[in-house]
């Protein structure tokens, strides 16, 4: 089970931080724009394979989908290793 929360730049802006943990593990603070595109896409795909829990899941899941779509398009232009 994945527990996560997103922090965005404003209400409609992009995700800048994903706080997440799997089961009873350690909390990971994932800075989206400091990591390679491919790594972020794999993380989001991992979320989609698990049961997810969030405080305001409608808001967070919308932003996860928005980020995934944006990065998939950007990956085609600059590659998966780009930041």
């Amino acid at each position: 089970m994945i527990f996560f929360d997103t922090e965005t730049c404003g209400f409609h802006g992009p995700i800048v931080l994903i706080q997440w943990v799997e089961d009873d593990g350690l909390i990971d603070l994932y800075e989206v724009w400091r990591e390679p595109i491919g790594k972020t896409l794999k993380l989001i795909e991992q979320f989609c394979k698990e049961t997810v829990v969030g405080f305001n899941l409608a808001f967070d899941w919308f932003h996860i989908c928005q980020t995934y779509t944006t990065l998939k398009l950007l990956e085609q232009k600059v590659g998966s290793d780009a930041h």
Side-chain angles (χ1 to χ4, degrees), residues 2-44:
I2 302 283
F3 299 85
F4 77 92
D5 183 42
T6 61
E7 301 299 330
T8 60
C9 192
F11 189 66
H12 297 289
I15 292 175
V16 294
L17 181 70
I18 301 172
Q19 304 166 70
W20 72 281
V21 64
E22 186 170 7
D23 297 323
D24 293 328
L26 297 174
I27 297 170
D28 188 2
L29 301 178
Y30 188 87
E31 297 181 73
V32 174
W33 301 105
R34 294 183 185 262
E35 298 292 343
I37 291 170
K39 184 177 177 184
T40 303
L41 292 173
K42 286 180 185 173
L43 177 65
I44 293 171

Side-chain angles (χ1 to χ4, degrees), residues 54-70:
F55 174 70
N56 187 352
L57 202 49
F59 176 85
D60 291 330
W61 203 249
F62 166 79
H63 283 283
I64 289 289
C65 291
Q66 181 184 53
T67 299
Y68 185 84
T69 304
T70 301

Side-chain angles (χ1 to χ4, degrees), residues 37 41 68-80 82:
I37 291 170
L41 292 173
Y68 185 84
T69 304
T70 301
L71 292 180
K72 280 302 271 188
L73 292 171
L74 187 58
E75 179 184 43
Q76 294 172 7
K77 300 283 185 186
V78 299
S80 62

